[in-house]
């Protein structure tokens, strides 16, 4: 440190200058310490739902594994019709798991859809509850039913992700869905329209376009749940 009177160099912490005898202030005597830097709060970001990204990912998946998706869709549609349509729940969960493997870069076969039967009970419970809620929505002027329609694939997606309680899957699905009700509804309508295009080609062609509904349901559900993630 330096004397504030004569400017000579003196010992750090000295109370008096040995050269001129001037008293040193306590502020000068105390060595300066840097104040700890306050950590800036990390800003969280909310990922926005993009219907365009969902549609483009759907077509990309169909193109890369076309035959697998067509056969898987055919089996899901035919087998799912048995037992009053109740088997469609585990089969759709299996389809979600098939898509998950594709996203992970793993090889897949159409038989992967049967892995959904490992989650039969939660899949069935989630499907029944979400289907009843959606059905009630359609009773009230149709629009509420259209709005709630994504609740079914979203609930099954959460079961495919490991949720073992079907009721909890529906509750969590609603928590994700209510942040993007309008865009999710539009996505489902667009996917349904694309999937139905095959009817134009002698009806049988629907099995060539119907996979878009199953694949798109996966990507829509994944995007809806991703909007809750923060950086």
């Amino acid at each position: 440190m330096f004397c504030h009177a004569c400017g000579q160099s003196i010992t750090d912490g000295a109370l008096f200058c040995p050269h001129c005898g001037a008293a040193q202030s306590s502020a000068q005597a105390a060595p300066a310490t840097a104040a700890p830097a306050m950590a800036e709060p990390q800003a969280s970001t909310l990922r926005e739902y993009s219907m365009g990204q969902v549609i483009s990912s759907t077509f990309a998946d169909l193109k890369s594994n076309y035959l697998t998706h067509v056969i898987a869709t055919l089996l899901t549609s035919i087998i799912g019709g048995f037992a009053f349509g109740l088997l469609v729940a585990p089969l759709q969960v299996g389809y979600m798991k098939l898509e998950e493997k594709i996203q992970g870069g793993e090889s897949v076969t159409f038989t992967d859809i049967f892995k959904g039967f490992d989650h039969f009970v939660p899949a069935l419970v989630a499907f029944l509850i979400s289907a009843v809620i959606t059905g009630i929505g359609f009773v009230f002027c149709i629009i509420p039913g259209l709005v709630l329609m994504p609740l079914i694939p979203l609930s099954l997606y959460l079961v495919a992700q490991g949720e073992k309680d079907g009721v909890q899957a529906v509750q969590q699905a609603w928590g994700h869905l209510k942040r993007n009700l309008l865009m999710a509804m539009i996505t489902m309508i667009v996917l349904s329209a694309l999937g139905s295009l095959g009817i134009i080609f002698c009806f049988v062609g629907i099995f060539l376009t119907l996979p878009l509904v199953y694949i798109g349901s996966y990507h829509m559900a994944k995007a809806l749940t991703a909007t809750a993630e923060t950086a």
Side-chain angles (χ1 to χ4, degrees):
M1 60 182 290
F2 298 91
C3 174
H4 67 85
C6 66
Q8 295 291 326
S9 175
I10 59 177
T11 305
D12 287 345
L15 298 179
F16 298 93
C17 175
H19 305 288
C20 65
Q24 306 300 304
S25 66
S26 57
Q28 282 184 312
T33 57
M38 296 294 291
E40 294 184 3
Q42 186 176 13
S44 63
T45 58
L46 191 64
R47 295 180 61 181
E48 293 185 1
Y49 176 83
S50 171
M51 185 180 71
Q53 183 61 48
V54 169
I55 301 299
S56 62
S57 298
T58 299
F59 276 101
D61 274 6
L62 179 60
K63 182 179 178 181
S64 62
N65 294 274
Y66 190 78
L67 184 59
T68 298
H69 282 299
V70 170
I71 298 176
T73 299
L74 184 63
L75 290 174
T76 301
S77 302
I78 295 175
I79 300 175
F82 290 97
F84 303 101
L86 297 181
L87 295 182
V88 73
L91 287 171
Q92 285 196 19
V93 168
Y95 212 115
M96 297 284 187
K97 297 182 77 66
L98 180 149
E99 268 297 314
E100 192 70 20
K101 289 181 66 175
I102 292 176
Q103 300 307 305
E106 303 178 49
S107 60
V108 296
T109 66
F110 63 87
T111 57
D112 286 324
I113 63 173
F114 296 110
K115 293 181 180 179
F117 284 96
D118 296 338
H119 311 269
F120 183 82
V121 174
L124 184 59
V125 172
F127 177 76
L128 289 175
I129 295 176
S130 56
V132 168
I133 293 174
T134 304
I136 294 174
F138 276 109
V139 172
F140 293 95
C141 301
I142 301 179
I143 299 299
L146 292 174
V147 172
L148 293 170
M149 202 161 50
L151 188 66
I152 299 175
L154 186 52
S155 299
L156 295 177
Y157 171 82
L158 293 173
V159 172
Q161 291 297 304
E163 177 55 60
K164 300 182 183 301
D165 188 329
V167 177
Q168 287 293 325
V170 177
Q171 291 177 342
Q172 292 175 29
W174 170 246
H176 293 301
L177 177 60
K178 65 183 180 181
R179 288 191 293 267
N180 291 281
L181 281 172
L182 180 60
M183 292 307 300
M185 178 190 71
I186 296 175
T187 302
M188 283 299 297
I189 292 174
V190 171
L191 289 173
S192 299
L194 291 173
S196 301
L197 286 177
I199 296 178
I200 300 174
F201 304 101
C202 301
F203 190 79
V204 179
I206 193 172
F207 292 108
L208 304 179
T209 58
L210 191 58
L212 292 170
V213 178
Y214 290 100
I215 303 170
S217 294
Y218 166 82
H219 285 288
M220 178 192 67
K222 184 177 182 180
L224 287 172
T225 56
T227 57
E229 297 175 2
T230 55

